[in-house]
Amino acid sequence: MRSYLISDNVDTFVGMQMAGIESIVLHEKEEIIEKIGQIRKDKGIGIIIITEAIALLIPGEVDIIKLSKDGPLLVEIPDRHGWRKGDDSILKYVKEAIGLKI
């Protein structure tokens, strides 16, 4: 099973390419949505990695994919500037998703 990165910046793109992860740099909402649709059709890709800036451009689509029981898994990562949502964003996500405070 492969991973695929959609990034908004070249630094993250290059780092993931060096790690052997297929990657692309996109900036436009329509391009991103189209690319995610293509990736979701590829059964060989098990994880879609997106930067936080990409997730902020397409919040509705991110929620749909994360809550979907069909693959692939969607993972949001910080870019070179770090998390914009704050350090406890994962805890907030878990609380929203399952209703438990950790």
Side-chain angles (χ1 to χ4, degrees):
M1 196 121 333
R2 300 182 336 259
S3 298
Y4 197 99
L5 168 77
I6 301 175
S7 177
D8 66 312
N9 67 71
V10 176
D11 293 335
T12 306
F13 168 80
V14 171
M16 291 298 197
Q17 286 278 305
M18 290 175 64
I21 295 175
E22 294 178 69
S23 307
I24 192 168
V25 176
L26 298 174
H27 300 285
E28 300 297 324
K29 181 178 180 175
E30 294 79 22
E31 292 176 323
I32 296 164
I33 293 170
E34 182 179 335
K35 187 63 178 179
I36 287 175
Q38 292 171 2
I39 294 169
R40 291 185 78 189
K41 291 177 185 174
D42 185 341
K43 298 302 178 191
I45 296 176
I47 301 172
I48 300 173
I49 305 166
I50 60 173
T51 57
E52 185 179 23
I54 295 289
L56 292 172
L57 280 175
I58 56 165
E61 288 79 7
V62 168
D63 290 341
I64 290 168
I65 295 168
K66 283 185 176 180
L67 297 173
S68 171
K69 62 181 176 183
D70 300 327
L73 176 67
L74 183 77
V75 178
E76 189 178 330
I77 62 170
D79 60 17
R80 65 178 188 238
H81 302 293
W83 285 107
R84 295 179 184 140
K85 294 180 181 177
D87 294 334
D88 63 345
S89 62
I90 293 175
L91 296 176
K92 287 179 187 174
Y93 179 70
V94 169
K95 184 178 178 185
E96 289 173 7
I98 61 174
L100 293 176
K101 185 176 180 180
I102 300 175

